[in-house]
Coordinates of all heavy atoms in Angstrom, one line a residue:
M1 N 25.1 -2.5 7.6 CA 23.9 -2.8 8.3 C 22.8 -2.5 7.4 O 22.6 -1.6 6.9 CB 23.8 -2.1 9.6 CG 22.7 -2.5 10.5 SD 22.8 -1.7 12.1 CE 21.1 -1.5 12.5
S2 N 21.8 -3.5 7.4 CA 20.6 -3.2 6.5 C 19.3 -3.2 7.4 O 19.3 -3.5 8.5 CB 20.4 -4.5 5.7 OG 20.2 -5.7 6.3
D3 N 18.4 -2.5 6.7 CA 17.0 -2.4 7.4 C 16.4 -3.8 7.4 O 16.6 -4.5 6.5 CB 16.2 -1.4 6.7 CG 16.7 0.0 6.6 OD1 17.5 0.3 7.6 OD2 16.4 0.8 5.7
A4 N 15.5 -4.0 8.4 CA 14.8 -5.3 8.5 C 13.6 -5.2 7.8 O 13.0 -6.1 7.3 CB 14.5 -5.6 10.0
R5 N 13.1 -3.9 7.4 CA 12.0 -3.7 6.6 C 12.1 -2.4 5.8 O 12.8 -1.5 6.3 CB 10.7 -3.7 7.5 CG 10.3 -2.4 8.0 CD 9.0 -2.4 8.8 NE 8.7 -3.7 9.4 CZ 7.9 -3.9 10.4 NH1 7.4 -2.9 11.1 NH2 7.7 -5.1 10.9
H6 N 11.4 -2.3 4.7 CA 11.3 -1.2 4.0 C 9.8 -0.7 4.0 O 8.9 -1.6 3.8 CB 11.8 -1.3 2.5 CG 13.1 -1.8 2.4 ND1 14.2 -1.0 2.5 CD2 13.7 -3.1 2.3 CE1 15.3 -1.7 2.4 NE2 15.1 -3.0 2.2
V7 N 9.6 0.6 4.1 CA 8.2 1.2 4.0 C 8.1 2.1 2.9 O 8.8 3.0 2.9 CB 7.8 1.8 5.4 CG1 6.4 2.4 5.2 CG2 8.0 0.8 6.6
L8 N 7.3 1.7 1.9 CA 7.1 2.6 0.8 C 5.8 3.3 0.9 O 4.8 2.8 1.2 CB 7.1 1.7 -0.5 CG 8.3 0.8 -0.8 CD1 8.1 0.0 -2.1 CD2 9.6 1.7 -0.8
V9 N 5.9 4.6 0.7 CA 4.5 5.5 0.9 C 4.0 5.8 -0.4 O 4.7 6.5 -1.2 CB 5.0 6.7 1.8 CG1 3.7 7.6 1.9 CG2 5.7 6.4 3.1
L10 N 2.7 5.5 -0.7 CA 2.1 5.8 -2.0 C 0.9 6.7 -1.8 O 0.3 6.7 -0.7 CB 1.7 4.5 -2.6 CG 2.9 3.6 -3.2 CD1 3.7 4.4 -4.2 CD2 3.7 3.0 -2.2
P11 N 0.5 7.4 -2.8 CA -0.5 8.4 -2.7 C -1.9 7.7 -2.6 O -2.8 8.3 -2.1 CB -0.4 9.2 -3.9 CG 0.2 8.3 -5.0 CD 1.2 7.5 -4.2
D12 N -2.1 6.5 -3.1 CA -3.5 5.9 -3.1 C -3.3 4.4 -3.1 O -2.3 3.8 -3.3 CB -4.3 6.5 -4.2 CG -3.7 6.3 -5.6 OD1 -3.2 5.1 -5.8 OD2 -3.7 7.2 -6.4
R13 N -4.5 3.7 -2.9 CA -4.5 2.2 -2.9 C -4.1 1.7 -4.2 O -3.3 0.6 -4.3 CB -5.9 1.8 -2.5 CG -5.8 0.3 -2.4 CD -7.3 -0.3 -2.0 NE -7.2 -1.7 -1.8 CZ -7.3 -2.3 -0.7 NH1 -7.5 -1.7 0.4 NH2 -7.2 -3.6 -0.6
D14 N -4.6 2.2 -5.4 CA -4.2 1.7 -6.6 C -2.6 1.6 -6.9 O -2.0 0.7 -7.3 CB -4.9 2.5 -7.8 CG -6.3 2.2 -7.9 OD1 -6.8 1.3 -7.3 OD2 -7.0 3.1 -8.5
A15 N -2.0 2.8 -6.5 CA -0.5 2.8 -6.6 C 0.1 1.7 -5.7 O 1.1 1.1 -6.1 CB 0.0 4.2 -6.3
A16 N -0.4 1.6 -4.4 CA 0.2 0.7 -3.6 C 0.0 -0.7 -4.1 O 0.9 -1.6 -4.0 CB -0.6 0.8 -2.1
E17 N -1.0 -1.2 -4.6 CA -1.3 -2.4 -5.2 C -0.4 -2.7 -6.4 O 0.1 -3.7 -6.6 CB -2.8 -2.6 -5.7 CG -3.6 -2.7 -4.4 CD -5.1 -2.9 -4.8 OE1 -5.6 -2.5 -5.9 OE2 -6.0 -3.1 -3.9
E18 N -0.2 -1.7 -7.2 CA 0.7 -1.7 -8.3 C 2.2 -2.0 -7.9 O 2.9 -2.8 -8.4 CB 0.6 -0.5 -9.3 CG -0.7 -0.5 -10.0 CD -0.7 0.9 -10.9 OE1 0.3 1.6 -11.1 OE2 -1.8 1.2 -11.2
V19 N 2.5 -1.4 -6.9 CA 3.9 -1.4 -6.3 C 4.1 -2.8 -5.7 O 5.1 -3.5 -5.9 CB 4.3 -0.3 -5.3 CG1 5.5 -0.7 -4.6 CG2 4.4 1.0 -6.0
A20 N 3.1 -3.3 -5.0 CA 3.1 -4.6 -4.3 C 3.3 -5.7 -5.5 O 4.1 -6.6 -5.3 CB 1.9 -4.9 -3.5
E21 N 2.6 -5.5 -6.6 CA 2.7 -6.5 -7.7 C 4.1 -6.4 -8.2 O 4.7 -7.4 -8.7 CB 1.6 -6.2 -8.7 CG 1.5 -7.2 -9.8 CD 0.4 -6.9 -10.8 OE1 -0.7 -6.7 -10.3 OE2 0.7 -6.8 -12.0
A22 N 4.6 -5.2 -8.5 CA 6.0 -5.0 -9.1 C 7.0 -5.6 -8.1 O 8.0 -6.2 -8.7 CB 6.1 -3.6 -9.3
L23 N 6.8 -5.5 -6.9 CA 7.8 -6.1 -5.9 C 7.9 -7.6 -6.2 O 8.9 -8.1 -6.1 CB 7.4 -5.7 -4.5 CG 7.7 -4.3 -4.0 CD1 7.0 -4.0 -2.7 CD2 9.2 -4.1 -4.0
T24 N 6.8 -8.2 -6.4 CA 6.8 -9.6 -6.6 C 7.4 -10.0 -7.8 O 8.3 -10.8 -8.0 CB 5.3 -10.2 -6.4 OG1 4.7 -9.8 -5.2 CG2 5.4 -11.7 -6.7
E25 N 7.1 -9.2 -8.9 CA 7.6 -9.4 -10.2 C 9.1 -9.1 -10.4 O 9.8 -9.9 -11.0 CB 6.8 -8.7 -11.3 CG 5.3 -9.3 -11.5 CD 4.5 -8.4 -12.4 OE1 4.9 -7.4 -12.8 OE2 3.3 -8.7 -12.5
R26 N 9.4 -7.9 -9.9 CA 10.8 -7.4 -10.3 C 11.8 -7.8 -9.2 O 13.0 -7.9 -9.6 CB 10.8 -5.9 -10.4 CG 10.1 -5.3 -11.6 CD 10.4 -3.8 -11.5 NE 9.3 -3.0 -12.0 CZ 9.2 -1.7 -12.0 NH1 10.2 -1.0 -11.6 NH2 8.1 -1.0 -12.5
F27 N 11.4 -7.8 -8.0 CA 12.4 -8.1 -6.9 C 12.2 -9.5 -6.4 O 13.1 -9.9 -5.6 CB 12.1 -7.1 -5.7 CG 12.4 -5.7 -6.0 CD1 11.5 -4.9 -6.7 CD2 13.6 -5.2 -5.6 CE1 11.8 -3.5 -7.1 CE2 13.9 -3.9 -5.9 CZ 13.1 -3.1 -6.6
G28 N 11.3 -10.3 -6.8 CA 11.1 -11.7 -6.4 C 10.7 -11.8 -4.9 O 11.1 -12.7 -4.2
V29 N 10.0 -10.8 -4.3 CA 9.6 -10.9 -3.0 C 8.7 -12.1 -2.8 O 7.7 -12.1 -3.5 CB 8.8 -9.5 -2.6 CG1 8.3 -9.6 -1.2 CG2 9.7 -8.4 -2.7
P30 N 9.1 -13.0 -1.8 CA 8.4 -14.3 -1.8 C 7.0 -14.1 -1.1 O 6.1 -14.9 -1.5 CB 9.3 -15.1 -0.9 CG 10.1 -14.1 0.0 CD 10.3 -12.8 -1.0
E31 N 6.8 -13.2 -0.2 CA 5.5 -13.1 0.5 C 4.9 -11.8 -0.1 O 5.6 -10.7 -0.3 CB 5.6 -13.0 1.9 CG 6.1 -14.3 2.6 CD 6.3 -14.1 4.1 OE1 5.7 -13.3 4.7 OE2 7.0 -15.0 4.5
E32 N 3.6 -11.7 -0.3 CA 3.0 -10.5 -0.8 C 3.2 -9.4 0.3 O 3.0 -9.6 1.4 CB 1.5 -10.8 -1.1 CG 0.8 -9.6 -1.6 CD -0.6 -9.8 -2.2 OE1 -0.7 -10.9 -2.8 OE2 -1.4 -9.0 -2.1
P33 N 3.7 -8.2 -0.1 CA 3.9 -7.2 0.8 C 2.6 -6.7 1.5 O 1.5 -6.8 0.9 CB 4.6 -6.0 0.0 CG 5.0 -6.7 -1.2 CD 4.0 -7.9 -1.5
Q34 N 2.7 -6.3 2.7 CA 1.5 -5.7 3.5 C 1.2 -4.4 3.0 O 2.1 -3.5 2.9 CB 1.9 -5.7 5.0 CG 0.8 -5.4 5.8 CD 1.4 -5.2 7.3 OE1 2.5 -5.6 7.7 NE2 0.5 -4.8 8.2
L35 N -0.1 -4.1 2.8 CA -0.6 -2.9 2.4 C -1.3 -2.2 3.7 O -2.2 -3.0 4.3 CB -1.6 -2.9 1.2 CG -1.1 -3.5 0.0 CD1 -2.2 -3.5 -1.1 CD2 0.1 -2.8 -0.6
V36 N -1.0 -1.0 4.0 CA -1.6 -0.4 5.2 C -2.0 0.9 4.8 O -1.3 1.8 4.2 CB -0.5 -0.3 6.3 CG1 -1.1 0.3 7.6 CG2 0.1 -1.6 6.6
R37 N -3.3 1.3 5.2 CA -3.8 2.6 4.9 C -3.4 3.5 6.1 O -3.4 3.1 7.2 CB -5.4 2.5 4.9 CG -6.0 4.0 4.6 CD -7.6 3.9 4.6 NE -8.2 5.1 4.4 CZ -8.4 6.0 5.4 NH1 -8.1 5.6 6.7 NH2 -9.0 7.1 5.2
D38 N -2.8 4.7 5.8 CA -2.2 5.6 6.7 C -3.0 6.9 6.6 O -2.6 7.7 5.7 CB -0.8 5.6 6.5 CG -0.1 6.6 7.5 OD1 -0.5 6.5 8.7 OD2 0.9 7.3 7.2
A39 N -3.9 7.2 7.3 CA -4.7 8.6 7.3 C -3.7 9.6 7.8 O -2.9 9.4 8.8 CB -5.9 8.4 8.2
L40 N -3.7 10.6 7.2 CA -2.8 11.8 7.5 C -3.3 12.4 8.8 O -4.5 12.5 9.0 CB -2.8 12.8 6.4 CG -2.3 12.4 5.0 CD1 -2.4 13.4 4.1 CD2 -0.8 11.9 5.2
A41 N -2.4 12.8 9.7 CA -2.7 13.4 11.0 C -3.8 14.5 10.8 O -3.6 15.4 10.0 CB -1.5 13.9 11.6
G42 N -4.8 14.4 11.5 CA -5.8 15.5 11.6 C -6.9 15.3 10.4 O -7.7 16.2 10.3
E43 N -6.7 14.4 9.6 CA -7.5 14.3 8.4 C -8.6 13.2 8.5 O -8.1 12.0 8.7 CB -6.7 14.1 7.1 CG -5.8 15.2 6.8 CD -6.5 16.5 6.3 OE1 -7.7 16.5 6.0 OE2 -5.9 17.6 6.6
D44 N -9.8 13.5 8.2 CA -11.0 12.4 8.3 C -11.3 12.0 6.9 O -11.8 10.8 6.8 CB -12.1 12.9 9.0 CG -11.8 13.2 10.5 OD1 -11.0 12.6 11.1 OD2 -12.4 14.2 11.1
D45 N -11.0 12.7 5.9 CA -11.4 12.3 4.5 C -10.5 11.2 4.0 O -9.3 11.3 4.0 CB -11.2 13.6 3.8 CG -11.7 13.4 2.3 OD1 -12.1 12.3 2.0 OD2 -11.8 14.5 1.6
A46 N -11.2 10.2 3.5 CA -10.4 9.0 3.0 C -9.6 9.5 1.8 O -8.6 8.8 1.5 CB -11.4 8.0 2.5
E47 N -9.9 10.5 1.0 CA -9.0 11.0 0.0 C -7.6 11.5 0.5 O -6.6 11.5 -0.3 CB -9.7 12.2 -0.8 CG -11.0 11.8 -1.5 CD -10.8 10.9 -2.6 OE1 -9.7 11.0 -3.3 OE2 -11.5 9.8 -2.7
D48 N -7.5 11.8 1.7 CA -6.3 12.2 2.3 C -5.6 11.2 2.9 O -4.6 11.4 3.7 CB -6.5 13.4 3.3 CG -7.0 14.7 2.7 OD1 -6.6 14.9 1.5 OD2 -7.9 15.3 3.2
A49 N -5.8 9.9 2.6 CA -4.9 8.8 3.1 C -3.9 8.5 2.2 O -4.0 8.4 1.0 CB -6.0 7.6 3.3
Q50 N -2.7 8.1 2.8 CA -1.6 7.5 2.0 C -1.8 6.1 2.2 O -2.4 5.5 3.2 CB -0.2 8.0 2.6 CG -0.1 9.5 2.3 CD 1.2 10.0 3.0 OE1 1.5 9.5 4.1 NE2 1.8 11.0 2.4
W51 N -1.1 5.3 1.4 CA -1.0 3.8 1.6 C 0.5 3.5 1.7 O 1.4 3.9 1.0 CB -1.6 3.2 0.4 CG -3.1 3.2 0.4 CD1 -3.9 4.2 0.2 CD2 -3.9 2.1 1.0 NE1 -5.2 3.9 0.4 CE2 -5.3 2.7 0.9 CE3 -3.7 0.9 1.5 CZ2 -6.3 1.9 1.3 CZ3 -4.8 0.1 1.9 CH2 -6.1 0.6 1.8
L52 N 0.8 2.5 2.6 CA 2.1 2.1 2.9 C 2.3 0.7 2.4 O 1.3 -0.2 2.6 CB 2.3 2.1 4.4 CG 2.1 3.4 5.2 CD1 2.4 3.2 6.6 CD2 2.9 4.5 4.6
V53 N 3.3 0.4 1.7 CA 3.7 -1.0 1.4 C 4.8 -1.4 2.2 O 5.9 -0.8 2.2 CB 4.0 -1.0 -0.1 CG1 4.3 -2.5 -0.5 CG2 2.8 -0.6 -1.1
V54 N 4.7 -2.5 3.0 CA 5.7 -2.8 3.9 C 6.4 -4.1 3.4 O 5.7 -5.0 3.2 CB 5.1 -3.1 5.3 CG1 6.2 -3.5 6.4 CG2 4.3 -1.8 5.9
V55 N 7.7 -4.0 3.2 CA 8.5 -5.1 2.8 C 9.4 -5.6 3.8 O 10.3 -4.8 4.2 CB 9.2 -4.8 1.4 CG1 9.9 -6.0 0.9 CG2 8.3 -4.2 0.4
E56 N 9.2 -6.8 4.3 CA 10.1 -7.4 5.3 C 11.5 -7.8 4.5 O 11.4 -8.3 3.4 CB 9.5 -8.6 5.9 CG 8.3 -8.3 6.7 CD 8.4 -7.3 7.8 OE1 9.5 -7.2 8.5 OE2 7.5 -6.6 8.2
D57 N 12.6 -7.4 5.1 CA 13.8 -7.6 4.5 C 14.9 -7.9 5.5 O 15.9 -7.2 5.6 CB 14.3 -6.3 3.6 CG 15.5 -6.6 2.7 OD1 15.8 -7.8 2.6 OD2 16.1 -5.6 2.4
P58 N 14.7 -9.0 6.3 CA 15.7 -9.3 7.4 C 17.2 -9.6 7.0 O 18.0 -9.4 7.7 CB 15.0 -10.4 8.1 CG 14.2 -11.1 7.1 CD 13.6 -9.9 6.2
D59 N 17.3 -10.1 5.7 CA 18.5 -10.4 5.1 C 19.2 -9.4 4.3 O 20.2 -9.6 3.8 CB 18.5 -11.7 4.3 CG 17.8 -12.9 5.0 OD1 18.2 -13.0 6.3 OD2 17.2 -13.7 4.5
G60 N 18.5 -8.2 4.1 CA 19.0 -7.1 3.4 C 19.2 -7.5 1.9 O 20.1 -7.0 1.3
R61 N 18.2 -8.2 1.4 CA 18.3 -8.6 -0.1 C 17.9 -7.5 -1.1 O 18.3 -7.6 -2.3 CB 17.3 -9.8 -0.3 CG 17.8 -11.1 0.5 CD 16.8 -12.2 0.1 NE 16.3 -12.2 -1.2 CZ 15.2 -12.9 -1.6 NH1 14.6 -13.7 -0.6 NH2 14.8 -12.7 -2.8
Y62 N 17.1 -6.6 -0.7 CA 16.5 -5.6 -1.6 C 17.3 -4.3 -1.6 O 17.5 -3.7 -0.6 CB 15.0 -5.4 -1.3 CG 14.3 -6.7 -1.2 CD1 13.7 -7.1 0.0 CD2 14.3 -7.6 -2.3 CE1 13.0 -8.3 0.2 CE2 13.6 -8.8 -2.2 CZ 13.0 -9.2 -1.0 OH 12.5 -10.4 -0.9
N63 N 17.7 -3.9 -2.8 CA 18.4 -2.6 -3.0 C 17.5 -1.4 -2.7 O 16.5 -1.2 -3.3 CB 18.9 -2.6 -4.4 CG 19.7 -1.4 -4.7 OD1 19.3 -0.2 -4.6 ND2 21.1 -1.6 -4.9
A64 N 17.9 -0.6 -1.7 CA 17.2 0.6 -1.2 C 17.1 1.6 -2.4 O 16.0 2.1 -2.6 CB 17.8 1.2 -0.1
H65 N 18.1 1.8 -3.3 CA 17.9 2.6 -4.3 C 16.9 2.3 -5.4 O 16.2 3.0 -6.1 CB 19.2 2.9 -5.0 CG 20.3 3.5 -4.1 ND1 20.2 4.9 -3.6 CD2 21.4 3.0 -3.5 CE1 21.1 5.1 -2.8 NE2 22.0 4.0 -2.7
R66 N 16.8 0.9 -5.6 CA 15.9 0.4 -6.6 C 14.4 0.5 -6.0 O 13.5 0.8 -6.7 CB 16.1 -1.1 -6.9 CG 17.4 -1.2 -7.8 CD 17.7 -2.6 -8.2 NE 16.5 -3.1 -9.1 CZ 16.2 -4.4 -9.1 NH1 16.8 -5.3 -8.4 NH2 15.2 -4.7 -9.9
L67 N 14.3 0.4 -4.7 CA 13.0 0.6 -4.0 C 12.6 2.0 -4.2 O 11.4 2.4 -4.3 CB 13.0 0.0 -2.7 CG 13.2 -1.5 -2.4 CD1 13.5 -1.8 -0.9 CD2 12.0 -2.1 -2.9
D68 N 13.6 2.9 -4.0 CA 13.3 4.4 -4.0 C 12.7 4.6 -5.5 O 11.8 5.4 -5.6 CB 14.6 5.1 -3.9 CG 15.0 5.2 -2.4 OD1 14.2 5.1 -1.6 OD2 16.2 5.5 -2.2
A69 N 13.4 4.1 -6.4 CA 13.0 4.4 -7.8 C 11.6 3.7 -8.2 O 10.8 4.4 -8.8 CB 14.0 3.7 -8.8
L70 N 11.3 2.6 -7.6 CA 10.0 1.9 -7.8 C 8.9 2.9 -7.2 O 8.0 3.1 -7.8 CB 10.0 0.6 -7.3 CG 8.6 -0.1 -7.3 CD1 8.1 -0.3 -8.7 CD2 8.7 -1.5 -6.5
A71 N 9.2 3.3 -6.0 CA 8.2 4.1 -5.3 C 8.0 5.4 -6.1 O 6.8 5.8 -6.3 CB 8.6 4.5 -3.9
A72 N 9.2 6.0 -6.5 CA 9.0 7.2 -7.3 C 8.2 7.1 -8.6 O 7.4 8.1 -9.0 CB 10.4 7.9 -7.6
E73 N 8.3 5.9 -9.3 CA 7.5 5.7 -10.5 C 6.1 5.9 -10.2 O 5.2 6.1 -11.1 CB 7.7 4.3 -11.0 CG 9.1 4.0 -11.6 CD 9.3 2.6 -11.9 OE1 8.3 1.8 -12.2 OE2 10.5 2.1 -12.0
H74 N 5.6 5.7 -9.0 CA 4.2 5.8 -8.6 C 3.9 7.0 -7.7 O 2.9 6.9 -6.9 CB 3.7 4.4 -7.9 CG 4.0 3.2 -8.9 ND1 3.1 2.8 -9.7 CD2 5.0 2.5 -9.0 CE1 3.4 1.8 -10.4 NE2 4.6 1.5 -10.0
E75 N 4.7 8.0 -7.8 CA 4.5 9.3 -7.1 C 4.7 9.0 -5.5 O 3.9 9.6 -4.7 CB 3.3 9.9 -7.5 CG 3.2 10.3 -8.9 CD 1.8 10.9 -9.3 OE1 1.1 11.4 -8.5 OE2 1.7 10.9 -10.5
G76 N 5.5 8.1 -5.2 CA 5.7 7.9 -3.8 C 7.2 7.9 -3.4 O 7.9 8.4 -4.2
W77 N 7.5 7.5 -2.1 CA 8.8 7.5 -1.7 C 9.0 6.3 -0.7 O 8.1 5.8 -0.2 CB 9.3 8.8 -1.2 CG 8.5 9.2 0.2 CD1 8.7 8.8 1.4 CD2 7.1 9.8 0.3 NE1 7.8 9.3 2.3 CE2 6.8 9.8 1.5 CE3 6.4 10.3 -0.7 CZ2 5.6 10.5 2.0 CZ3 5.1 10.9 -0.3 CH2 4.8 11.0 1.0
R78 N 10.3 6.0 -0.4 CA 10.6 5.1 0.6 C 11.0 5.8 2.0 O 11.8 6.7 2.0 CB 11.8 4.2 0.2 CG 12.2 3.1 1.2 CD 13.3 2.3 0.7 NE 14.5 3.0 0.5 CZ 15.4 3.3 1.4 NH1 15.3 2.8 2.6 NH2 16.5 4.0 1.2
E79 N 10.3 5.4 3.0 CA 10.6 6.1 4.4 C 12.0 5.6 4.8 O 12.4 4.3 4.6 CB 9.6 5.6 5.4 CG 8.4 6.3 5.3 CD 8.3 7.8 5.7 OE1 8.8 8.0 6.8 OE2 8.0 8.6 4.9
R80 N 12.7 6.5 5.3 CA 14.0 6.0 5.9 C 13.8 6.1 7.4 O 13.4 7.0 8.1 CB 15.1 7.1 5.6 CG 15.5 6.9 4.2 CD 16.2 8.1 3.6 NE 16.7 8.0 2.2 CZ 16.0 7.8 1.1 NH1 14.7 7.7 1.2 NH2 16.5 7.7 0.0
E81 N 14.0 4.8 8.0 CA 13.8 4.6 9.5 C 15.0 4.9 10.3 O 16.2 4.8 9.8 CB 13.2 3.3 9.8 CG 12.0 3.0 9.0 CD 11.4 1.6 9.3 OE1 12.1 0.8 9.8 OE2 10.3 1.4 9.0

C-alpha cells in the first residue's frame, strides 16, 4: 500500500524551493509540488517557520527512500503519515 501524498519538511523557503525544483528534474513530478509555510507551535517569529513540500502520489510512483534522501540533502525529512 502506498501513500497518496508525501510531505517533505524543510528548514526554510529556499530549501523548499530547491527541493520542489529537484522533484521536477529528478523524479519527473508532472505538477509543481505545493509549498506550505508551517509555523512551529507557539512561535510567532518567521525565522521559526518550517516549509512543507507536498507531493501528491496517488499511484505510488515515487520511492520513499529517494524522497528521504532528497529531503536530507537539504537538512529536512519526510513526514511519515
Side-chain angles (χ1 to χ4, degrees):
M1 182 170 152
S2 65
D3 295 336
R5 91 171 29 149
H6 301 280
V7 177
L8 306 180
V9 182
L10 288 304
D12 56 44
R13 183 181 184 109
D14 288 343
E17 289 175 346
E18 289 175 18
V19 166
E21 186 176 312
L23 285 165
T24 303
E25 292 173 1
R26 291 191 214 172
F27 290 81
V29 174
E31 297 178 20
E32 186 165 326
Q34 179 183 359
L35 302 182
V36 180
R37 182 179 177 274
D38 183 35
L40 299 176
E43 299 292 338
D44 294 327
D45 187 352
E47 293 297 317
D48 291 323
Q50 295 174 325
W51 283 80
L52 309 179
V53 178
V54 181
V55 182
E56 298 298 330
D57 190 16
D59 301 324
R61 291 179 38 192
Y62 309 116
N63 181 293
H65 297 292
R66 289 185 62 208
L67 292 172
D68 287 337
L70 175 61
E73 287 175 26
H74 298 275
E75 298 179 17
W77 65 90
R78 183 178 61 89
E79 282 290 306
R80 287 162 175 69
E81 298 181 347

